[in-house]
Structures are given as C-alpha cells and as structure tokens.
Amino acid sequence: MRRLQYLVLLAVVFFGFAGGGMFAEGAAADGFYRVVGGKADVRTYNGYRRYNAGCNHCHGPDGIGSSFASSLIDRPLGVEEFRRVVRNGRSSGGTSVMKGFGNDPNVAPYIDDIYAYLKARAEGALGRGRPERLEP
C-alpha cells in the first residue's frame, strides 16, 4: 500500500513538471495569461480590447511599435515596471514622451489585463489580430 502511494506521488510530481504543458498549453509561467488553441482567457482578451482602445494609436497594432513609440513585445518590461510606466508615464529625455494613464478610468483598472495580452504576444502564445475567447 505504501509503495502504491509513493508511485502515485511520483507520477503526480513527474506529470506536474514534465507533462504540465499538456494541461496548460500557452500558459505563462507567472499565470498572467492562458491561451489554448489560439483562444485567450477572459483577462487576456480584455487586455487586447483595452490595448486597442488606448495604446495602439502610438504603439502600433498588436504591440509591434510605430515610428514614434516603441514595440511592447520585442523587449517587454517586467510587470512592476510596466505598471509604473503606464501609471506615471515616461520621457526619453528627447522629444518622446508618454503621458501617464494613472487617472484614466479606461486604462488604470486594466493595466494587468493589457500586460497579460502583451506578454502573450511577446511569448508567441498569441498571434496578430483579435484573439478568440476561451469559454469559461
């Protein structure tokens, strides 16, 4: 009996580490997004919508960048720095300035959703264009 318990525990640990990808296809290691079969979870899908409503005008479609604002998927920021920049803005010291969105009710409450979408794009879990939604 004890041997059976040991084997079950060993199998759980093995599949949890080695085979976890089967169950969490496209899931970020830090849990920010979940994409299965090209379909995005609610948070990531909402991030796509919010990004396109407020960010793509400068940072380009799908986060690829533009002639006056950087790509958000080529060299993604860590979550804390991303939150700080979105809330407070950033200046390059030259003519490039991003205003802060900390008081914008259409952006501030959704910073983590936008980050989830951009992280999924940066890691290749989502392609360009509107993702389909995972059904809950």
Side-chain angles (χ1 to χ4, degrees):
M1 183 67 170
R2 196 178 258 319
R3 182 180 171 147
L4 179 61
Q5 289 172 334
Y6 175 76
L7 289 174
V8 169
L9 177 64
L10 185 63
V12 168
V13 169
F14 174 78
F15 285 109
F17 289 115
M22 295 185 308
F23 303 107
E25 174 190 328
D30 56 19
F32 264 97
Y33 67 84
R34 183 166 171 260
V35 175
V36 178
K39 295 180 180 182
D41 63 285
V42 173
R43 172 192 227 179
T44 306
Y45 183 81
N46 188 50
Y48 165 84
R49 290 178 51 245
R50 297 296 174 167
Y51 175 85
N52 280 284
C55 310
N56 75 330
H57 299 58
C58 295
H59 290 282
D62 307 308
I64 63 171
S66 70
S67 60
F68 56 93
S70 63
S71 166
L72 298 175
I73 60 172
D74 287 343
R75 288 176 289 160
L77 301 174
V79 66
E80 291 302 325
E81 185 176 0
F82 182 81
R83 288 172 180 150
R84 187 173 41 258
V85 169
V86 173
R87 285 185 188 120
N88 303 329
R90 174 181 272 178
S91 174
S92 66
T95 58
S96 179
V97 175
M98 178 180 142
K99 75 173 192 155
F101 291 88
N103 294 322
D104 187 328
N106 295 310
V107 175
Y110 307 103
I111 292 172
D112 284 357
D113 293 3
I114 296 167
Y115 182 80
Y117 164 68
L118 292 169
K119 187 166 178 70
R121 286 276 299 123
E123 294 179 354
L126 280 180
R128 295 193 64 184
R130 179 185 290 269
E132 291 185 54
R133 280 181 50 189
L134 274 173
E135 294 302 319

